[in-house]
Amino acid sequence: MLWTVLLALLVLLLLQTQLCVCLRELRTGGSSSSSYLSSSSSSSSSSSSNATQQRLPGAIIIGVRKGGTRALLEMLNLHPDVEVAKAEVHYFNVEEHYRRGLAWYRAQMPFTLPGQLTVEKTPGYFTAPQVPVRVWDMNPAVRLLLIVRDPAERLVSDYTQVLHNRLTRHKPYQPLEELLLHKGHIDPGYKALQRSLYHQHLARWLEVFPREQIHVVDGDALIRDPFPELRKAERFLDLPPRISPNNFYYNTTKGFYCLLSAGHDKCLDESKGRPHAPLSAQAFRKLCHYFREPNKLFFEMVGRSFSWC
C-alpha cells in the first residue's frame, strides 16, 4: 500500500516537472514569435518610411530668365538634402501642362527620401500673370527663389540666346538695336525689355505671397563668388549648412566657376558665358537710363539695392 502511494506521488512529480517545462517553452516561443512579429513590423514600417517617392516641390526657382537660374539649381543640388527636377517643367505657365493636373506635375519631380527637399525651376514663371495664384493653390507654404541680375545685361543676354537659336535654325533675326530702339528712343513694347521690369512682375507675386516667402538671389554676385549666395539660400530653405567653398573652383578657360562634388567636377554647358550680341555704347546708355526708375522701385520692394548700371 505504501509503495503504491509513493509510486503515485512520483508519477505526479514527473508530470508536474514536464508541465513546467512545456509552459516555459510556450512562453519562450510566444515571446520569440512576438519579438519576430514586432521586428518584422518595425522593419516594414522603417522600409515604408524610408521609401523614395516623387513629391511636389517644397521650393521653386521662379526666375528670372537669363538671370542664372540653371547655375543656382545646379549649385543647390550639391546639398545632400536637395533633389532637383532636371528639366524646366513649365507646369504653371503652359496651359496644356496645367490642364494635366498635379498628378502629372508630381510625376515630373525626382524621387526623394522623407526629409529631402524637392526643387523645381522654370524662369518663365516670374513674368506669367496667372502663375502666382496657381502656385499658391498648389502649396501656400512653398518657398520661392528669385535670382536677378543687371536688367540691361539680362536683356542683352536674352536677345543673344534668341539670336543663337534663330541662327541655328537658319532663320533671320533683326539686330538688337533695331528691336530695342524706335526713332532713337527705347521701345517699351520690346518683350525682352518687359521681362527686365522686375518691379512689375514681383508686384503680382506679392499680391499672393508674403515678402518673407520670396528669397532674392544676386545673380551677378553668384557668378563672382557663389558660396556666400549659396549659404544665404541654405538658410532661407532651412537646410543645414552642407555646401562649402571647396565645392567651387574657377575655370579660367570658361571664365566662370564650376562645381566639385564627391571628387567629380561639373561645369555648366557651353551656352553659359556665351559672348553677348553687339550693342552700341550709346544704345546701352539709353537702356541703363530707362531702367533707372524701375530699378529704384524694385529696390524698395525687396529692401535692398544692387550695383546695376
Side-chain angles (χ1 to χ4, degrees):
M1 180 67 178
L2 180 62
W3 284 106
T4 305
V5 173
L6 286 172
L7 184 61
L9 286 172
L10 184 61
V11 170
L12 283 172
L13 256 158
L14 287 170
L15 287 172
Q16 186 178 12
T17 303
Q18 191 174 357
L19 182 61
C20 287
V21 170
C22 289
L23 286 171
R24 191 181 305 117
E25 285 179 354
L26 282 171
R27 288 194 198 99
T28 306
S31 175
S32 299
S33 174
S34 174
S35 174
Y36 171 78
L37 289 172
S38 174
S39 171
S40 174
S41 173
S42 173
S43 172
S44 172
S45 173
S46 172
S47 171
S48 173
S49 66
N50 289 332
T52 61
Q53 58 180 280
Q54 290 166 297
R55 295 172 171 84
L56 292 172
I60 303 176
I61 300 173
I62 58 174
V64 300
R65 171 168 160 162
K66 304 309 297 177
T69 57
R70 172 57 59 182
L72 178 60
L73 186 78
E74 295 292 350
M75 290 174 184
L76 284 174
N77 200 31
L78 292 168
H79 200 289
D81 295 341
V82 170
E83 291 292 342
V84 304
K86 301 302 181 184
E88 294 177 6
V89 182
H90 291 277
Y91 173 66
F92 298 103
N93 64 328
V94 173
E95 296 304 315
E96 180 187 351
H97 294 170
Y98 192 69
R99 284 196 296 268
R100 292 174 178 174
L102 283 176
W104 179 87
Y105 184 48
R106 184 184 287 106
Q108 312 313 307
M109 298 300 122
F111 283 86
T112 56
L113 290 165
Q116 285 188 306
L117 178 69
T118 300
V119 180
E120 189 244 315
K121 81 103 176 171
T122 299
Y125 289 162
F126 183 56
T127 58
Q130 74 276 26
V131 170
V133 170
R134 289 178 173 182
V135 174
W136 174 271
D137 289 342
M138 186 265 304
N139 179 8
V142 70
R143 300 183 188 226
L144 308 170
L145 296 112
L146 173 67
I147 180 168
V148 294
R149 62 185 289 203
D150 186 314
E153 294 286 349
R154 193 221 65 81
L155 181 150
V156 179
S157 183
D158 195 332
Y159 169 85
T160 301
Q161 177 174 303
V162 175
L163 174 66
H164 176 79
N165 293 340
R166 299 279 294 188
L167 293 176
T168 301
R169 297 196 299 270
H170 306 289
K171 293 185 176 181
Y173 200 61
Q174 287 178 268
L176 175 55
E177 206 149 331
E178 289 182 13
L179 294 167
L180 182 62
L181 300 177
H182 179 68
K183 295 181 180 179
H185 299 285
I186 296 293
D187 181 2
Y190 180 39
K191 284 187 178 180
L193 181 136
Q194 293 173 356
R195 293 188 194 106
S196 281
L197 298 175
Y198 302 150
H199 71 293
Q200 291 185 359
H201 309 300
L202 182 59
R204 285 195 296 269
W205 286 89
L206 292 178
E207 288 175 0
V208 180
F209 287 92
R211 171 68 186 87
E212 59 270 18
Q213 218 164 308
I214 304 175
H215 177 64
V216 178
V217 178
D218 186 339
D220 297 308
L222 189 75
I223 297 302
R224 290 193 304 270
D225 185 8
F227 176 67
E229 289 300 314
L230 264 295
R231 179 49 51 88
K232 293 174 191 173
E234 281 180 323
R235 285 197 293 265
F236 170 72
L237 296 171
D238 282 338
L239 293 169
R242 295 290 182 269
I243 301 173
S244 79
N246 295 330
N247 287 123
F248 308 97
Y249 74 95
Y250 189 78
N251 187 309
T252 52
T253 304
K254 292 180 174 290
F256 51 80
Y257 278 88
C258 295
L259 317 181
L260 279 171
S261 178
H264 301 286
D265 68 335
K266 179 176 183 177
C267 292
L268 300 177
D269 63 46
E270 65 279 357
S271 69
K272 310 305 174 186
R274 182 185 288 144
H276 278 178
L279 182 66
S280 71
Q282 182 183 15
F284 193 78
R285 282 195 297 271
K286 288 182 178 181
L287 189 58
C288 289
H289 184 268
Y290 182 89
F291 282 129
R292 194 169 298 164
E293 191 57 33
N295 287 348
K296 285 181 182 177
L297 294 171
F298 178 72
F299 297 163
E300 290 171 7
M301 294 171 80
V302 299
R304 60 184 290 196
S305 60
F306 298 84
S307 300
W308 296 339
C309 72

PDB file of all heavy atoms in Angstrom, residues 32-56:
ATOM      1  N   SER A  32       9.372  34.810 -28.553  1.00  0.00           N
ATOM      2  CA  SER A  32      10.168  34.880 -29.772  1.00  0.00           C
ATOM      3  C   SER A  32       9.301  35.275 -30.942  1.00  0.00           C
ATOM      4  O   SER A  32       9.672  36.081 -31.787  1.00  0.00           O
ATOM      5  CB  SER A  32      10.822  33.527 -30.061  1.00  0.00           C
ATOM      6  OG  SER A  32      11.679  33.169 -29.004  1.00  0.00           O
ATOM      7  N   SER A  33       8.123  34.646 -30.996  1.00  0.00           N
ATOM      8  CA  SER A  33       7.202  34.959 -32.084  1.00  0.00           C
ATOM      9  C   SER A  33       6.797  36.410 -32.049  1.00  0.00           C
ATOM     10  O   SER A  33       6.783  37.097 -33.056  1.00  0.00           O
ATOM     11  CB  SER A  33       5.968  34.059 -31.972  1.00  0.00           C
ATOM     12  OG  SER A  33       5.002  34.424 -32.920  1.00  0.00           O
ATOM     13  N   SER A  34       6.481  36.869 -30.805  1.00  0.00           N
ATOM     14  CA  SER A  34       6.086  38.271 -30.653  1.00  0.00           C
ATOM     15  C   SER A  34       7.213  39.188 -31.059  1.00  0.00           C
ATOM     16  O   SER A  34       7.018  40.195 -31.723  1.00  0.00           O
ATOM     17  CB  SER A  34       5.694  38.530 -29.202  1.00  0.00           C
ATOM     18  OG  SER A  34       5.447  39.887 -28.989  1.00  0.00           O
ATOM     19  N   SER A  35       8.440  38.801 -30.635  1.00  0.00           N
ATOM     20  CA  SER A  35       9.599  39.603 -30.972  1.00  0.00           C
ATOM     21  C   SER A  35       9.803  39.650 -32.469  1.00  0.00           C
ATOM     22  O   SER A  35      10.104  40.680 -33.054  1.00  0.00           O
ATOM     23  CB  SER A  35      10.839  39.025 -30.291  1.00  0.00           C
ATOM     24  OG  SER A  35      12.003  39.687 -30.696  1.00  0.00           O
ATOM     25  N   TYR A  36       9.611  38.483 -33.121  1.00  0.00           N
ATOM     26  CA  TYR A  36       9.782  38.423 -34.567  1.00  0.00           C
ATOM     27  C   TYR A  36       8.763  39.303 -35.278  1.00  0.00           C
ATOM     28  O   TYR A  36       9.093  40.058 -36.186  1.00  0.00           O
ATOM     29  CB  TYR A  36       9.630  36.973 -35.039  1.00  0.00           C
ATOM     30  CG  TYR A  36       9.574  36.856 -36.547  1.00  0.00           C
ATOM     31  CD1 TYR A  36      10.728  36.941 -37.313  1.00  0.00           C
ATOM     32  CD2 TYR A  36       8.341  36.684 -37.176  1.00  0.00           C
ATOM     33  CE1 TYR A  36      10.666  36.853 -38.694  1.00  0.00           C
ATOM     34  CE2 TYR A  36       8.282  36.608 -38.553  1.00  0.00           C
ATOM     35  CZ  TYR A  36       9.446  36.683 -39.306  1.00  0.00           C
ATOM     36  OH  TYR A  36       9.365  36.610 -40.659  1.00  0.00           O
ATOM     37  N   LEU A  37       7.501  39.189 -34.820  1.00  0.00           N
ATOM     38  CA  LEU A  37       6.453  39.994 -35.444  1.00  0.00           C
ATOM     39  C   LEU A  37       6.712  41.474 -35.266  1.00  0.00           C
ATOM     40  O   LEU A  37       6.539  42.271 -36.176  1.00  0.00           O
ATOM     41  CB  LEU A  37       5.081  39.621 -34.852  1.00  0.00           C
ATOM     42  CG  LEU A  37       4.535  38.251 -35.251  1.00  0.00           C
ATOM     43  CD1 LEU A  37       3.289  37.938 -34.432  1.00  0.00           C
ATOM     44  CD2 LEU A  37       4.221  38.231 -36.751  1.00  0.00           C
ATOM     45  N   SER A  38       7.145  41.818 -34.026  1.00  0.00           N
ATOM     46  CA  SER A  38       7.439  43.222 -33.750  1.00  0.00           C
ATOM     47  C   SER A  38       8.565  43.708 -34.631  1.00  0.00           C
ATOM     48  O   SER A  38       8.521  44.787 -35.203  1.00  0.00           O
ATOM     49  CB  SER A  38       7.821  43.388 -32.280  1.00  0.00           C
ATOM     50  OG  SER A  38       8.243  44.690 -32.019  1.00  0.00           O
ATOM     51  N   SER A  39       9.627  42.868 -34.745  1.00  0.00           N
ATOM     52  CA  SER A  39      10.773  43.229 -35.567  1.00  0.00           C
ATOM     53  C   SER A  39      10.365  43.354 -37.015  1.00  0.00           C
ATOM     54  O   SER A  39      10.759  44.271 -37.722  1.00  0.00           O
ATOM     55  CB  SER A  39      11.865  42.171 -35.409  1.00  0.00           C
ATOM     56  OG  SER A  39      12.903  42.368 -36.325  1.00  0.00           O
ATOM     57  N   SER A  40       9.548  42.393 -37.475  1.00  0.00           N
ATOM     58  CA  SER A  40       9.097  42.409 -38.861  1.00  0.00           C
ATOM     59  C   SER A  40       8.266  43.639 -39.143  1.00  0.00           C
ATOM     60  O   SER A  40       8.413  44.297 -40.155  1.00  0.00           O
ATOM     61  CB  SER A  40       8.276  41.148 -39.133  1.00  0.00           C
ATOM     62  OG  SER A  40       7.714  41.183 -40.412  1.00  0.00           O
ATOM     63  N   SER A  41       7.363  43.951 -38.196  1.00  0.00           N
ATOM     64  CA  SER A  41       6.511  45.122 -38.348  1.00  0.00           C
ATOM     65  C   SER A  41       7.336  46.385 -38.380  1.00  0.00           C
ATOM     66  O   SER A  41       7.130  47.274 -39.189  1.00  0.00           O
ATOM     67  CB  SER A  41       5.493  45.182 -37.208  1.00  0.00           C
ATOM     68  OG  SER A  41       4.773  46.374 -37.242  1.00  0.00           O
ATOM     69  N   SER A  42       8.323  46.453 -37.457  1.00  0.00           N
ATOM     70  CA  SER A  42       9.194  47.624 -37.387  1.00  0.00           C
ATOM     71  C   SER A  42       9.983  47.763 -38.663  1.00  0.00           C
ATOM     72  O   SER A  42      10.137  48.851 -39.207  1.00  0.00           O
ATOM     73  CB  SER A  42      10.140  47.487 -36.195  1.00  0.00           C
ATOM     74  OG  SER A  42      11.093  48.508 -36.198  1.00  0.00           O
ATOM     75  N   SER A  43      10.502  46.624 -39.171  1.00  0.00           N
ATOM     76  CA  SER A  43      11.285  46.641 -40.396  1.00  0.00           C
ATOM     77  C   SER A  43      10.436  47.106 -41.558  1.00  0.00           C
ATOM     78  O   SER A  43      10.849  47.901 -42.378  1.00  0.00           O
ATOM     79  CB  SER A  43      11.833  45.241 -40.669  1.00  0.00           C
ATOM     80  OG  SER A  43      12.429  45.175 -41.931  1.00  0.00           O
ATOM     81  N   SER A  44       9.192  46.606 -41.632  1.00  0.00           N
ATOM     82  CA  SER A  44       8.282  47.001 -42.700  1.00  0.00           C
ATOM     83  C   SER A  44       7.973  48.477 -42.632  1.00  0.00           C
ATOM     84  O   SER A  44       7.968  49.180 -43.623  1.00  0.00           O
ATOM     85  CB  SER A  44       6.998  46.181 -42.584  1.00  0.00           C
ATOM     86  OG  SER A  44       6.032  46.647 -43.482  1.00  0.00           O
ATOM     87  N   SER A  45       7.708  48.951 -41.384  1.00  0.00           N
ATOM     88  CA  SER A  45       7.401  50.370 -41.198  1.00  0.00           C
ATOM     89  C   SER A  45       8.585  51.227 -41.578  1.00  0.00           C
ATOM     90  O   SER A  45       8.453  52.242 -42.236  1.00  0.00           O
ATOM     91  CB  SER A  45       7.019  50.615 -39.740  1.00  0.00           C
ATOM     92  OG  SER A  45       6.878  51.986 -39.492  1.00  0.00           O
ATOM     93  N   SER A  46       9.792  50.769 -41.156  1.00  0.00           N
ATOM     94  CA  SER A  46      11.011  51.515 -41.471  1.00  0.00           C
ATOM     95  C   SER A  46      11.228  51.556 -42.967  1.00  0.00           C
ATOM     96  O   SER A  46      11.563  52.578 -43.538  1.00  0.00           O
ATOM     97  CB  SER A  46      12.204  50.869 -40.779  1.00  0.00           C
ATOM     98  OG  SER A  46      13.407  51.449 -41.190  1.00  0.00           O
ATOM     99  N   SER A  47      11.021  50.388 -43.617  1.00  0.00           N
ATOM    100  CA  SER A  47      11.194  50.318 -45.064  1.00  0.00           C
ATOM    101  C   SER A  47      10.237  51.263 -45.761  1.00  0.00           C
ATOM    102  O   SER A  47      10.588  51.943 -46.714  1.00  0.00           O
ATOM    103  CB  SER A  47      10.957  48.885 -45.528  1.00  0.00           C
ATOM    104  OG  SER A  47      10.918  48.811 -46.929  1.00  0.00           O
ATOM    105  N   SER A  48       8.978  51.306 -45.255  1.00  0.00           N
ATOM    106  CA  SER A  48       7.974  52.182 -45.850  1.00  0.00           C
ATOM    107  C   SER A  48       8.343  53.647 -45.670  1.00  0.00           C
ATOM    108  O   SER A  48       8.227  54.450 -46.582  1.00  0.00           O
ATOM    109  CB  SER A  48       6.613  51.896 -45.222  1.00  0.00           C
ATOM    110  OG  SER A  48       5.662  52.832 -45.662  1.00  0.00           O
ATOM    111  N   SER A  49       8.817  53.991 -44.445  1.00  0.00           N
ATOM    112  CA  SER A  49       9.119  55.395 -44.169  1.00  0.00           C
ATOM    113  C   SER A  49      10.368  55.865 -44.904  1.00  0.00           C
ATOM    114  O   SER A  49      10.551  57.041 -45.131  1.00  0.00           O
ATOM    115  CB  SER A  49       9.299  55.620 -42.663  1.00  0.00           C
ATOM    116  OG  SER A  49      10.444  54.931 -42.208  1.00  0.00           O
ATOM    117  N   ASN A  50      11.264  54.910 -45.279  1.00  0.00           N
ATOM    118  CA  ASN A  50      12.486  55.268 -45.977  1.00  0.00           C
ATOM    119  C   ASN A  50      12.357  55.143 -47.489  1.00  0.00           C
ATOM    120  O   ASN A  50      13.324  55.355 -48.210  1.00  0.00           O
ATOM    121  CB  ASN A  50      13.647  54.389 -45.498  1.00  0.00           C
ATOM    122  CG  ASN A  50      14.073  54.755 -44.083  1.00  0.00           C
ATOM    123  OD1 ASN A  50      13.920  55.893 -43.669  1.00  0.00           O
ATOM    124  ND2 ASN A  50      14.585  53.777 -43.354  1.00  0.00           N
ATOM    125  N   ALA A  51      11.176  54.790 -47.971  1.00  0.00           N
ATOM    126  CA  ALA A  51      10.994  54.592 -49.406  1.00  0.00           C
ATOM    127  C   ALA A  51      11.030  55.930 -50.135  1.00  0.00           C
ATOM    128  O   ALA A  51      10.497  56.928 -49.660  1.00  0.00           O
ATOM    129  CB  ALA A  51       9.665  53.883 -49.662  1.00  0.00           C
ATOM    130  N   THR A  52      11.666  55.919 -51.296  1.00  0.00           N
ATOM    131  CA  THR A  52      11.682  57.136 -52.114  1.00  0.00           C
ATOM    132  C   THR A  52      10.364  57.250 -52.860  1.00  0.00           C
ATOM    133  O   THR A  52       9.738  56.250 -53.205  1.00  0.00           O
ATOM    134  CB  THR A  52      12.841  57.106 -53.126  1.00  0.00           C
ATOM    135  OG1 THR A  52      12.668  55.985 -54.000  1.00  0.00           O
ATOM    136  CG2 THR A  52      14.186  57.032 -52.431  1.00  0.00           C
ATOM    137  N   GLN A  53       9.969  58.466 -53.097  1.00  0.00           N
ATOM    138  CA  GLN A  53       8.789  58.724 -53.903  1.00  0.00           C
ATOM    139  C   GLN A  53       8.881  60.115 -54.511  1.00  0.00           C
ATOM    140  O   GLN A  53       9.703  60.930 -54.105  1.00  0.00           O
ATOM    141  CB  GLN A  53       7.515  58.569 -53.079  1.00  0.00           C
ATOM    142  CG  GLN A  53       7.436  59.477 -51.863  1.00  0.00           C
ATOM    143  CD  GLN A  53       6.141  59.266 -51.087  1.00  0.00           C
ATOM    144  OE1 GLN A  53       5.098  59.784 -51.463  1.00  0.00           O
ATOM    145  NE2 GLN A  53       6.219  58.506 -50.006  1.00  0.00           N
ATOM    146  N   GLN A  54       8.049  60.364 -55.488  1.00  0.00           N
ATOM    147  CA  GLN A  54       8.026  61.680 -56.133  1.00  0.00           C
ATOM    148  C   GLN A  54       7.107  62.592 -55.331  1.00  0.00           C
ATOM    149  O   GLN A  54       5.960  62.245 -55.056  1.00  0.00           O
ATOM    150  CB  GLN A  54       7.556  61.555 -57.585  1.00  0.00           C
ATOM    151  CG  GLN A  54       8.566  60.855 -58.478  1.00  0.00           C
ATOM    152  CD  GLN A  54       7.978  60.429 -59.812  1.00  0.00           C
ATOM    153  OE1 GLN A  54       7.068  59.608 -59.846  1.00  0.00           O
ATOM    154  NE2 GLN A  54       8.505  60.976 -60.887  1.00  0.00           N
ATOM    155  N   ARG A  55       7.638  63.752 -54.970  1.00  0.00           N
ATOM    156  CA  ARG A  55       6.900  64.700 -54.145  1.00  0.00           C
ATOM    157  C   ARG A  55       6.798  66.045 -54.848  1.00  0.00           C
ATOM    158  O   ARG A  55       7.677  66.410 -55.636  1.00  0.00           O
ATOM    159  CB  ARG A  55       7.597  64.881 -52.788  1.00  0.00           C
ATOM    160  CG  ARG A  55       7.617  63.625 -51.925  1.00  0.00           C
ATOM    161  CD  ARG A  55       8.484  63.805 -50.688  1.00  0.00           C
ATOM    162  NE  ARG A  55       8.343  62.695 -49.746  1.00  0.00           N
ATOM    163  CZ  ARG A  55       9.019  61.554 -49.828  1.00  0.00           C
ATOM    164  NH1 ARG A  55       9.899  61.371 -50.809  1.00  0.00           N
ATOM    165  NH2 ARG A  55       8.833  60.596 -48.945  1.00  0.00           N
ATOM    166  N   LEU A  56       5.745  66.781 -54.543  1.00  0.00           N
ATOM    167  CA  LEU A  56       5.616  68.134 -55.079  1.00  0.00           C
ATOM    168  C   LEU A  56       6.742  68.998 -54.512  1.00  0.00           C
ATOM    169  O   LEU A  56       7.207  68.760 -53.393  1.00  0.00           O
ATOM    170  CB  LEU A  56       4.256  68.725 -54.702  1.00  0.00           C
ATOM    171  CG  LEU A  56       3.045  68.075 -55.373  1.00  0.00           C
ATOM    172  CD1 LEU A  56       1.753  68.617 -54.777  1.00  0.00           C
ATOM    173  CD2 LEU A  56       3.066  68.301 -56.881  1.00  0.00           C
TER     174      LEU A  56
END
